[in-house]
Amino acid sequence: MSNLRKWLPALFLGIVLVLAACGGGDDSENAEGGNGDGGSDNGESTEEKGSISIGMNNWAENVAVSNMWKIVLEEKGYDVELKQVEKGFLYEALSSGDLDIGMEIWLPNTDKAFYDKYEEDIDWRETWYEGTELGLVVPTYMEDINTIEDLKTTDALDEKQIVGIDAGASLMSLTEDAINEYDLDYSLAASSGPTMTTELKGAIEDEEPIVVTLWKPHWVFAEMDLKFLEDTKGVYGESENISYAARKGLEEDNPTVVKWFDNFKMDDQQLGSLMAALNEAETPEEGAQNWIDEHQDVIDEWTAE
């Protein structure tokens, strides 16, 4: 009995400690979930408004505006996916509903074949940039080459090659037409937009001759001395506009986003500064964010409710 009396205080203390520990656990759990959802009490909503998929082909202005819109939409609560696509797949995916938005539609000439094919299957929306140009471009130090026809007689280029971009781009098919129309003994090398600009930059640094497929708007015209070769036969067509397109039904599913994109307009200065911001940054996302931070008033105009 004396032994039992000796151990009773220790046993009682142990029970008290166990009960205190259990009570503390309950208090901690209640504090952690005190606002009902395990989140903070700062009143900020993290609710997502849905997902938007944007088809992005590898043209400088397309990469710029696609990344810019991705950030803008994500800040508004949307889950945004950029999908790298070639032009042919872009239209196919929009028509089948596998993509929500395509940022870069060149009409009435460059993308006419796609428009004719998918006219009834895609929601063709508003113009966001006016006054494009595309064709064959050389550095200005190639003084004797000023027209596409001059390529036939020049001996400046040891390799008769035109450096192109993505094989599925409309600009590439137009260049094939130009080669045939002008009877040029040149090959057209498919690559990508970034590869083409890298080769162009390298040639200019060494002051070597080069012919590339290019278009305006593009950041290279702000950084390099270049000129379009005169297209006397009009193969590349007249100046065009850039619009966006959406899958059928997006306006009904998400009218707010479609309204914002319909409001979207950029002039030469705005688009040029956006492309330059991406070109100067480590990543496209960083460049787009830097531009947004400096042009929030413009963003607010586009996304006004």
Side-chain angles (χ1 to χ4, degrees):
M1 192 71 178
S2 60
N3 289 337
L4 179 60
R5 282 196 298 270
K6 184 188 298 184
W7 289 104
L8 275 175
L11 180 62
F12 178 74
L13 179 60
I15 292 171
V16 170
L17 291 173
V18 169
L19 289 174
C22 291
D26 290 340
D27 291 343
S28 173
E29 182 179 347
N30 290 337
E32 216 171 283
N35 63 1
D37 61 2
S40 65
D41 292 320
N42 60 10
E44 293 183 3
S45 172
T46 58
E47 178 186 359
E48 290 185 354
K49 297 180 179 179
S51 60
I52 299 291
S53 58
I54 298 176
M56 180 179 71
N57 62 284
N58 207 12
W59 288 27
E61 73 283 357
N62 194 304
V63 173
V65 296
S66 296
N67 276 277
M68 182 270 296
W69 269 113
K70 180 177 189 294
I71 294 173
V72 170
L73 291 174
E74 286 176 342
E75 289 178 348
K76 298 289 188 181
Y78 294 87
D79 179 24
V80 182
E81 180 183 9
L82 298 185
K83 295 185 178 180
Q84 187 78 42
V85 295
E86 293 184 354
K87 267 299 185 76
F89 181 78
L90 171 69
Y91 290 102
E92 182 180 336
L94 285 171
S95 68
S96 64
D98 292 332
L99 279 176
D100 291 316
I101 289 173
M103 287 304 307
E104 188 155 2
I105 315 300
W106 284 51
L107 290 172
N109 301 313
T110 304
D111 289 345
K112 183 178 185 302
F114 294 116
Y115 179 83
D116 291 343
K117 181 176 182 180
Y118 296 106
E119 182 177 359
E120 303 300 325
D121 304 318
I122 291 174
D123 186 6
W124 308 91
R125 304 297 304 187
E126 298 297 320
T127 294
W128 59 265
Y129 178 85
E130 296 181 346
T132 67
E133 188 173 1
L134 74 169
L136 299 183
V137 166
V138 300
T140 55
Y141 56 72
M142 296 175 65
E143 296 177 357
D144 295 334
I145 303 177
N146 296 293
T147 71
I148 297 178
E149 288 175 326
D150 289 339
L151 293 174
K152 295 175 64 174
T153 56
T154 183
D155 56 2
L157 293 102
D158 295 330
E159 186 176 7
K160 303 294 187 181
Q161 182 184 79
I162 298 169
V163 181
I165 54 172
D166 309 86
S170 303
L171 178 55
M172 292 292 279
S173 62
L174 287 171
T175 302
E176 292 283 7
D177 292 342
I179 289 173
N180 293 329
E181 187 70 22
Y182 286 94
D183 193 25
L184 300 178
D185 186 21
Y186 282 71
S187 63
L188 176 59
S191 59
S192 68
T195 300
M196 178 272 295
T197 55
T198 297
E199 291 200 31
L200 179 60
K201 183 177 180 181
I204 290 176
E205 287 175 350
D206 297 332
E207 204 163 324
E208 294 178 347
I210 188 171
V211 184
V212 301
T213 60
L214 248 175
W215 63 95
K216 276 188 176 181
H218 200 294
W219 61 265
V220 296
F221 289 97
E223 297 193 6
M224 306 177 195
D225 291 326
L226 304 168
K227 60 183 178 182
F228 277 95
L229 298 182
E230 185 182 354
D231 177 17
T232 57
K233 296 181 182 293
V235 175
Y236 290 98
E238 301 297 326
S239 178
E240 298 182 90
N241 297 326
I242 306 176
S243 58
Y244 85 99
R247 65 167 173 83
K248 291 279 191 177
L250 181 64
E251 186 173 17
E252 290 73 25
D253 296 341
N254 211 318
T256 299
V257 169
V258 172
K259 177 186 175 184
W260 293 344
F261 275 72
D262 282 351
N263 291 339
F264 172 49
K265 301 287 186 296
M266 296 194 92
D267 58 28
D268 279 330
Q269 189 281 327
Q270 291 168 334
L271 185 52
S273 64
L274 174 59
M275 288 190 287
L278 265 72
N279 190 49
E280 294 165 3
E282 293 292 327
T283 65
E285 296 82 3
E286 178 187 339
Q289 185 65 67
N290 291 340
W291 190 88
I292 289 170
D293 292 342
E294 295 179 2
H295 296 81
Q296 192 58 54
D297 56 333
V298 178
I299 305 296
D300 292 343
E301 289 180 10
W302 298 337
T303 58
E305 295 292 344

